Amino acid sequence: MDQLGAMRAFVRVVQMGSFSAAAREQDTTQATISKKVAALEKKLGAKLLSRTSRELSLTEVGADYYENCVIILSELDEAEAQVRSQIALPSGVLRVAAPVVFGRQFMAPILVEFLNAYPEIKVDLMLNDKHIDLIADGVDVAIRAKQLEDSTLVARHLFNNPLVVVASPEYLQKNTKPQNPDELKNHNCIVYSMLKSINIWHFEQGNNNISVPVTGSFRCDNGDVILQLVLDGAGIAQLPVWMVDEHIRSGKLAMVLEGYISKPLPFNAI
């Protein structure tokens, strides 16, 4: 006899008030439920339920046994749920690669929340603006601001990454503010050296695509450094809007060439 199954059938008969209701709930027949309860009574050597054509009631022994069954089954269900949750809980090491500034500004603030939600996961966060081999470096997820080139990789689009040209008010007081991209040749343009076309900035105006060669006294592979130089009045830079938005609102930076749109690169999770 399946004693646990018989105990569950007995409990549901009591809770639902009839054999037929318990049978419907378990998608079985009334006869099957009756056999389970009868087998349980036979094993215990005691009558648990008093049955009449109109009424179903617990015997004194049945009432005590029912209370114990509820406790036992509840504890068993809780134990099974704990085991299932432990099995289902993600675990292991998650290696994530991301650009330096993006990782600092967006990923670092949510890591504590993520690690609290998934205590069995250990995160290995690799912040690097350089291209890495996801397979060779064992990376599980990479955040990249670029078009997906390898069609064998699966990417999820996170957001577009529009670029804006910015300079400090101090720099613009000393230098004439450019009115069109061609006038950038008269300015000290600080460039991000990790782009394919380091010294070419791209713009869109209407249906026109504009590519402008720029020159300057400094280039760097780190956006934080470029941002700091621009804040210090060293020159003009083309940076992601999410990196400079706070400084624009505070007045520490001013937008340049507002009428020209820099073609955004998509930020993807790969």
Side-chain angles (χ1 to χ4, degrees):
M1 182 191 73
D2 176 9
Q3 186 168 356
L4 285 175
M7 290 167 64
R8 291 188 186 279
F10 165 65
V11 167
R12 292 309 290 156
V13 167
V14 174
Q15 291 175 341
M16 303 195 72
S18 71
F19 285 86
S20 58
R24 285 193 299 271
E25 181 193 54
Q26 299 183 26
D27 194 24
T28 187
T29 64
Q30 181 176 336
T32 298
I33 299 296
S34 295
K35 287 179 181 179
K36 287 184 178 183
V37 175
L40 187 61
E41 289 178 324
K42 183 177 180 180
K43 178 177 176 62
L44 296 171
K47 191 175 181 62
L48 302 175
L49 293 168
S50 296
R51 310 172 183 83
T52 67
S53 58
R54 295 184 178 181
E55 189 176 12
L56 181 68
S57 60
L58 285 165
T59 64
E60 184 177 349
V61 172
D64 291 338
Y65 187 69
Y66 167 77
E67 296 295 335
N68 287 325
C69 283
V70 170
I71 295 173
I72 292 170
L73 293 175
S74 175
E75 291 179 347
L76 178 61
D77 290 342
E78 182 178 352
E80 291 179 349
Q82 288 179 354
V83 171
R84 284 194 296 270
S85 66
Q86 291 174 4
I87 294 174
L89 196 64
S91 61
V93 178
L94 179 65
R95 301 198 78 192
V96 182
V100 176
V101 181
F102 181 85
R104 174 186 56 76
Q105 189 164 333
F106 290 100
M107 302 190 71
I110 65 173
L111 276 178
V112 172
E113 181 180 350
F114 177 85
L115 293 171
N116 286 337
Y118 302 99
E120 299 302 316
I121 290 183
K122 295 178 174 61
V123 174
D124 182 359
L125 180 59
M126 305 164 59
L127 298 182
N128 197 324
D129 289 346
K130 295 181 179 180
H131 177 82
I132 61 173
D133 188 320
L134 304 186
I135 304 301
D137 291 331
V139 174
D140 299 302
V141 179
I143 310 298
R144 286 183 170 172
K146 61 184 298 184
Q147 296 286 352
L148 184 62
E149 297 173 354
D150 188 342
S151 61
T152 64
L153 298 175
V154 178
R156 174 171 293 182
H157 181 258
L158 299 178
F159 60 90
N160 282 330
N161 180 38
L163 303 174
V164 292
V165 179
V166 292
S168 70
E170 292 76 17
Y171 176 87
L172 294 176
Q173 285 176 1
K174 298 176 183 178
N175 301 271
T176 303
K177 183 178 181 180
Q179 301 301 312
N180 60 70
D182 188 58
E183 292 183 9
L184 289 171
K185 65 185 179 183
N186 301 319
H187 289 268
N188 187 38
C189 296
I190 302 171
V191 297
Y192 180 59
S193 60
M194 297 303 297
L195 297 177
K196 285 184 177 180
S197 54
I198 297 175
N199 295 318
I200 298 178
W201 290 356
H202 302 279
F203 301 91
E204 294 178 347
Q205 187 182 44
N207 296 323
N208 298 320
N209 293 318
I210 304 170
S211 297
V212 179
V214 297
T215 59
S217 60
F218 187 81
R219 70 179 188 178
C220 183
D221 63 357
N222 181 273
D224 270 332
V225 174
I226 294 174
L227 174 59
Q228 189 58 54
L229 284 169
V230 177
L231 287 168
D232 292 341
I236 291 179
Q238 190 179 51
L239 292 168
V241 66
W242 51 264
M243 189 187 298
V244 299
D245 182 59
E246 177 183 349
H247 300 295
I248 293 173
R249 292 199 307 269
S250 68
K252 292 180 180 179
L253 290 179
M255 290 183 61
V256 178
L257 302 175
E258 296 94 324
Y260 296 85
I261 301 173
S262 300
K263 188 175 182 179
L265 287 174
F267 251 84
N268 296 316
I270 304 172

